[in-house]
Amino acid sequence: MPTDTKERILDSAELLFSSQGIANTSLRSLTEHAQVNLAAVNYHFQSKDALVQAVLFRRVNPINQRRMELLTALGQPSIGQILDAFYRPAVEAVLAGPEGRAVARLIGRLYSEPGDLLAGQVRALMADTFRTFAESIQRALPGVPQATIIWRLHFCIGIMAHTFGAMELIEGMARGRIAYDDPEAILRQMITFASAGLRAEGESTCAAS
Amino acid sequence: MPTDTKERILDSAELLFSSQGIANTSLRSLTEHAQVNLAAVNYHFQSKDALVQAVLFRRVNPINQRRMELLTALGQPSIGQILDAFYRPAVEAVLAGPEGRAVARLIGRLYSEPGDLLAGQVRALMADTFRTFAESIQRALPGVPQATIIWRLHFCIGIMAHTFGAMELIEGMARGRIAYDDPEAILRQMITFASAGLRAEGESTCAAS
DNA sequence: GTACTGTTGAAACGAACGTTTTATTGAATC
DNA sequence: GATTCAATAAAACGTTCGTTTCAACAGTAC
């Protein structure tokens, strides 16, 4: 339990935003949960919108930095290694500590939030990471057209976003047959699936027949 | 432009909910956009929450019914055929007509919406469809463990949800190198990727090495 | 014409929202 | 010890929200 007002606000905002949605979370319930004064939000941050940006940036930035570190540490990486560098920082950030679920929902909903929610820095971070990984995959799969690479990398992001953003739904449908308690097992499932998808042949042939 | 009040409300709600978010869309801006009286929402539907359920159900129900039709029309389907039956109704509903984008965002965000948004009928519909397709995939891939099937089917859903829910983000990052104007091309990309992912071998071996 | 039913219109309700203002605290600086 | 300043507290600001109320207006049956 942090003693600093600013961090208490960020922690409560992360938890409440992810569980109730941003628009459905009032600053009054937020400051009550964080046990700080109502005006503290507008004092430490300028507005509720700026608080949202701060909440997102605090989590997204370290993850993307770690992704870049892992990727550049590899020389001529295989598809599996590239995907590991992409997924691992997010999975570990999400399944570490009691606040993991909130972080997961936050990241899972990042990509499909309406309006100007992920503007500015956060969007730029994501675009940078996307470009870097797209180029790395392109080098590992020289035969695949660029448009196909782009589609498939977005599919890889969708796999992660859905795994994080729909945890309750997935657990409910699985009825105990799968669990979120083993990060390495989830990573393995994601990488195995996405690796095969990225390497799939027949971009121009119809696979539905 | 529909002349019926109830349908005008549903159409405007679908458009505004998907572009601005549900909580950020007031009934006043909604009824103004639909050119109906403010009280019409609480008259034809009971509340804003019930309107949300109606908006979702109107789109999700036909798609899932069509999925079931296509799947049961196949005898012993291949993975590609199963995926076609799952993806096609959604892709065609999403890219048909000018309201396609709104439907897309709506479906894309269905799975990761917070709270009790997709309660009741809509959630039951999704669970039914999931169970049916999971069993069909299981039959087509008898060697794959059930837990792996469940994970991978959720990955397939994530691919679709992200493709629909993050259209603006994807288009922005692609810088014109990919487009949403060809339903068959998108279907082919999704099916090719997901089909390879579903059939991937090595669930228990680490693909990252 | 009259009564009835389903729908629309305009106005108002109380509550909750994000933000701002004004005071008050508590410790560091000289 | 007075001063200064970042931080907190309490109250109020004006606005907007979902919902309700009640009157007006269609149609149709009798």
Side-chain angles (χ1 to χ4, degrees), chain B residues 68-194:
Chain B
M68 296 295 197
E69 288 174 14
L70 291 179
L71 185 64
T72 54
L74 302 168
Q76 292 282 343
S78 68
I79 290 294
Q81 287 174 315
I82 295 172
L83 284 170
D84 191 271
F86 186 79
Y87 285 143
R88 184 173 293 278
V91 171
E92 290 182 348
V94 149
L95 296 171
E99 78 275 15
R101 295 233 151 193
V103 183
R105 282 185 296 246
L106 205 73
I107 295 175
R109 289 178 192 143
L110 242 188
Y111 304 93
S112 63
E113 281 284 346
D116 305 325
L117 193 145
L118 68 154
Q121 289 178 306
V122 179
R123 195 179 198 116
L125 273 183
M126 285 170 38
D128 263 4
T129 307
F130 184 88
R131 194 179 325 108
T132 304
F133 275 82
E135 291 168 359
S136 187
I137 294 173
Q138 181 79 78
R139 272 191 296 271
L141 297 172
V144 182
Q146 191 186 39
T148 299
I149 297 282
I150 294 176
W151 274 117
R152 292 183 180 177
L153 180 49
H154 280 297
F155 295 157
C156 292
I157 295 174
I159 289 168
M160 181 194 66
H162 189 253
T163 303
F164 290 169
M167 294 172 75
E168 281 79 12
L169 195 70
I170 291 176
E171 285 177 327
M173 285 185 178
R175 300 168 184 271
R177 289 169 296 183
I178 63 175
Y180 275 89
D181 51 14
D182 187 353
E184 290 300 327
I186 295 179
L187 255 178
R188 203 186 315 128
Q189 290 282 359
M190 291 171 63
I191 292 175
T192 303
F193 184 96

